[in-house]
Each structure stands twice: as C-alpha cells, then as structure tokens.
Amino acid sequence: MGNQLNIGADLDAKFKKFEPLSDILDDIGRRCDEINTFNKESAGNDEIGKTYHENVDSATVDLVKLFATVSTEVEKLGLKGRRTSLILHNADEDARRL
C-alpha cells in the first residue's frame, strides 16, 4: 500500500495546451497558402516569372503541407496525452482504493 503513480495534477492541463498550438500551426499554414497564392498571381508568366515559379512554387506548397501535418500530429499528441493522463489518474485512484 502507499504505492502511487504520483501523476502530476497539471498533466492534463499541459496536454490541453497542444490544441491551441495546433490551431496556431493551422493558421500559419493558411497564411503560407495565402502567400503561395499571392506569389502565383504576382510573379508573372515571362521567363523571369517562370524561373521564379520553378524555384518557389513547390517549396511553398511543401511548406503548407508540412504545417498541416505537424498541426495534425500535435493535435493527436495532445489528445493521446490527455487520454493517457486520465488512464494514469484512474490507475492512481484504483491504487489508493486497494
């Protein structure tokens, strides 16, 4: 008896912070997409514009995808962390009762 997991009371609160972080990453991704759209509309179609597009367009598309992926993974991590926190909290409660 007396063996407790000693889960930090603020563990769930810490994992709740992942959701706003995911929202921030989503916003950054949207802004990058806006920049990408602006670039496509602004660079022109002459030789300089074509060279610009060849070098910039795919990179900004990849950047948007990267932020979307990171945002999704951060959100998943937050949810899984909160579930794990709940499981550990419940195990701690069970240990106290036993």
Side-chain angles (χ1 to χ4, degrees), residues 19-84:
E19 187 176 342
L21 179 57
S22 177
D23 292 341
I24 290 168
L25 292 166
D26 282 339
D27 187 47
I28 292 170
R30 279 190 294 277
R31 290 172 188 257
C32 288
D33 195 36
E34 290 172 11
I35 290 168
N36 189 35
T37 300
F38 177 76
N39 279 336
K40 286 182 179 181
E41 294 171 353
S42 300
N45 291 318
D46 59 5
E47 285 304 312
I48 294 173
K50 289 178 184 177
T51 301
Y52 175 82
H53 287 300
E54 288 172 6
N55 290 294
V56 174
D57 288 356
S58 65
T60 54
V61 169
D62 291 343
L63 188 60
V64 170
K65 289 179 185 177
L66 174 65
F67 277 110
T69 301
V70 171
S71 173
T72 299
E73 294 305 313
V74 166
E75 183 176 14
K76 284 183 194 176
L77 180 61
L79 290 172
K80 290 177 181 179
R82 292 180 70 198
R83 286 186 204 132
T84 302

